[in-house]
């Protein structure tokens, strides 16, 4: 996992191919499996990483496949971005709103 500075994004020569926007509310949300492994890619590839950018409100997330809670898990603040590497990390990522306001998570997947 790589946290971004304002001027640098290291993609390790991976190619962006998929994108989605998720609303992170009161129920734990996972990244969409069809975005991690799209059926229309003939090379049978899976995403190796993703750029996640959070807007509107803070969230909490976990990478062990367990659901976070409003007071449990890693805190990501509105306005933060991070690069998450590893197909298994993408599959196990789960997020929930940290307070009483939903966040908007924008994700670009790298293959």
């Amino acid at each position: 996992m790589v946290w971004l500075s304002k001027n640098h994004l290291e993609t390790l020569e991976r190619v962006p191919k998929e994108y989605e926007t998720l609303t992170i509310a009161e129920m734990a949300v996972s990244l969409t499996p069809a975005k991690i492994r799209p059926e229309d890619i003939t090379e049978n590839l899976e995403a190796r990483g993703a750029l996640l950018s959070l807007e509107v409100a803070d969230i909490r997330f976990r990478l062990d496949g367990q659901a976070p809670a409003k007071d449990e898990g890693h805190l990501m603040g509105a306005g933060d971005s991070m690069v998450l590497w590893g197909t298994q990390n993408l599959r196990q990522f789960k997020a929930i709103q940290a307070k009483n306001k939903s966040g908007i998570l924008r994700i670009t997947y790298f293959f």
Side-chain angles (χ1 to χ4, degrees):
M1 183 166 46
V2 177
W3 289 95
L4 301 176
S5 72
K6 294 186 182 222
N7 300 317
H8 182 77
L9 169 62
E10 177 60 56
T11 62
L12 304 174
E13 298 184 17
R14 296 292 178 184
V15 177
K17 287 193 109 22
E18 291 287 333
Y19 177 87
E20 71 176 319
T21 300
L22 298 175
T23 299
I24 310 299
E26 295 177 349
M27 300 293 292
V29 174
S30 299
L31 301 179
T32 305
K35 297 291 183 177
I36 297 168
R37 186 178 183 151
E39 293 180 15
D40 63 342
I41 294 181
T42 58
E43 297 88 13
N44 199 24
L45 293 176
E46 294 180 312
R48 302 290 190 227
L51 168 62
L52 293 83
S53 299
L54 181 62
E55 300 173 10
V56 182
D58 299 350
I59 64 170
R60 291 205 178 264
F61 69 92
R62 290 182 60 164
L63 299 173
D64 59 0
Q66 300 298 311
K70 289 186 178 195
D71 59 353
E72 182 62 41
H74 300 284
L75 181 65
M76 185 175 184
D80 285 348
S81 295
M82 72 172 170
V83 176
L84 182 61
W85 290 114
T87 303
Q88 192 65 26
N89 287 329
L90 298 175
R91 286 187 186 130
Q92 292 185 174
F93 178 92
K94 291 185 187 279
I96 193 169
Q97 68 187 33
K99 297 184 180 170
N100 293 325
K101 190 173 184 180
S102 298
I104 304 297
L105 191 62
R106 302 191 191 279
I107 306 113
T108 298
Y109 294 90
F110 292 88
F111 290 79

